[in-house]
Amino acid sequence: MATNVKIDKDEKGKTVDESKYRGMIGSLLYLTASRSDILHAVCLCARFQSNPKESHMSAVKRIFRYLKGTIQYGLFYPKNENFSLKGYSDSDYAGNIDDRKSTSGSCQFLGDCLVSWFSKKQNCVSLSTAEAEYISAAFCCTQLLWMKQTLADYKCSFENVPIFCDNISAINIAQNPVHHNRTKHIEIRHHFLRDCVSKQKIEISFVPSQDQLADIFTKPLTSETFASIRARLGIMHIE
């Protein structure tokens, strides 16, 4: 998606065929099961299925043009002995123009292989970047805990599974056992991340923004940054 364009409801725009738009979105959502690089763009366009406009249709067609140019790209799983579990968590603070809600993005790796990813608009309006990042890390934590339990059936055990976050304030909230007044407004269900950190089930670590792989699931990126993260996710040209 273009970095200089913000998609909103566009209430004054020209309405397009709702059935056709939903069909295109449905096809793209099916494809996100193997093409994680289009997940954010597809999920963003999917928010406007009830009353799509020409601007939304143009964004969807842009995704199809991108897919046509990268039709031979796919997830590549290399053969190696690294079998560690890790996750990346990021958010786009107040990125939605209509309701100012943030977008959570996360991806999970088993070794060097991308095995899980998601992009979702948060249910509540965050009052700070730290809160948005903290909520996103909590989503990532739930997925990692489920993966840990599933892999335990195959005699694979993991302790202190790392979550890489690029916001120091969110990391401090998760690691500090003191319930600060500034964090009382955050819903209790998100504070289980702090409990998991204290029990050493999860370890939340800092990662520089340029190495934050979950960035691709939260916002439009420049072509250079997009291509770099896409390659590091394991999406490449496959003969």
Side-chain angles (χ1 to χ4, degrees):
M1 303 191 72
T3 56
N4 59 344
V5 176
K6 291 286 187 179
I7 299 180
D8 56 8
K9 290 183 179 180
D10 192 15
E11 296 179 348
K12 296 182 180 180
K14 184 178 178 181
T15 303
V16 297
D17 185 1
E18 186 174 314
S19 178
K20 180 180 179 181
Y21 185 85
R22 288 185 175 184
M24 296 170 73
I25 291 294
S27 299
L28 290 172
L29 285 172
Y30 178 79
L31 192 58
T32 58
S34 59
R35 289 293 299 268
S36 56
D37 51 332
I38 66 170
L39 180 63
H40 169 66
V42 175
C43 289
L44 182 59
C45 294
R47 299 174 187 173
F48 308 103
Q49 294 184 75
S50 60
N51 189 20
K53 306 293 183 180
E54 279 188 342
S55 58
H56 307 143
M57 181 65 79
S58 297
V60 172
K61 289 180 178 179
R62 182 187 176 106
I63 300 174
F64 276 103
R65 288 196 298 270
Y66 165 74
L67 289 172
K68 184 178 180 180
T70 58
I71 195 169
Q72 292 183 323
Y73 278 62
L75 273 174
F76 177 71
Y77 291 100
K79 180 182 179 181
N80 55 50
E81 298 179 357
N82 183 7
F83 204 68
S84 59
L85 184 62
K86 60 183 177 182
Y88 289 84
S89 168
D90 195 24
S91 72
D92 179 26
Y93 174 59
N96 190 285
I97 298 178
D98 298 313
D99 54 18
R100 284 305 176 187
K101 290 182 179 179
S102 305
T103 301
S104 292
S106 176
C107 57
Q108 290 77 33
F109 286 81
L110 199 56
D112 297 324
C113 304
L114 179 67
V115 293
S116 177
W117 54 90
F118 78 84
S119 175
K120 181 182 178 182
K121 186 171 73 170
Q122 295 179 2
N123 296 326
C124 56
V125 178
S126 300
L127 301 181
S128 65
T129 305
E131 181 183 347
E133 295 277 359
Y134 185 73
I135 293 173
S136 182
F139 283 134
C140 181
C141 179
T142 58
Q143 181 68 11
L144 286 173
L145 290 177
W146 175 81
M147 292 177 68
K148 277 184 62 176
Q149 182 146 359
T150 301
L151 290 168
D153 295 336
Y154 299 94
K155 309 301 181 182
C156 299
S157 61
F158 302 93
E159 296 296 334
N160 279 335
V161 179
I163 295 178
F164 295 101
C165 175
D166 60 1
N167 188 278
I168 296 177
S169 297
I171 295 174
N172 290 337
I173 294 173
Q175 293 178 340
N176 196 329
V178 178
H179 192 76
H180 295 290
N181 290 331
R182 294 181 180 179
T183 63
K184 283 185 177 180
H185 63 280
I186 301 177
E187 291 189 42
I188 295 175
R189 64 191 180 94
H190 298 304
H191 281 302
F192 88 97
L193 172 62
R194 181 186 298 168
D195 183 58
C196 292
V197 172
S198 66
K199 292 179 179 177
Q200 297 184 345
K201 295 180 179 179
I202 296 292
E203 177 185 9
I204 186 163
S205 306
F206 177 77
V207 64
S209 297
Q210 62 268 23
D211 295 325
Q212 178 54 271
L213 302 186
D215 215 18
I216 197 172
F217 304 114
T218 61
K219 63 181 78 71
L221 303 173
T222 62
S223 57
E224 296 81 7
T225 305
F226 182 87
S228 174
I229 294 179
R230 181 182 63 187
R232 295 177 67 181
L233 290 176
I235 301 174
M236 55 187 68
H237 187 278
I238 299 176
E239 296 293 342

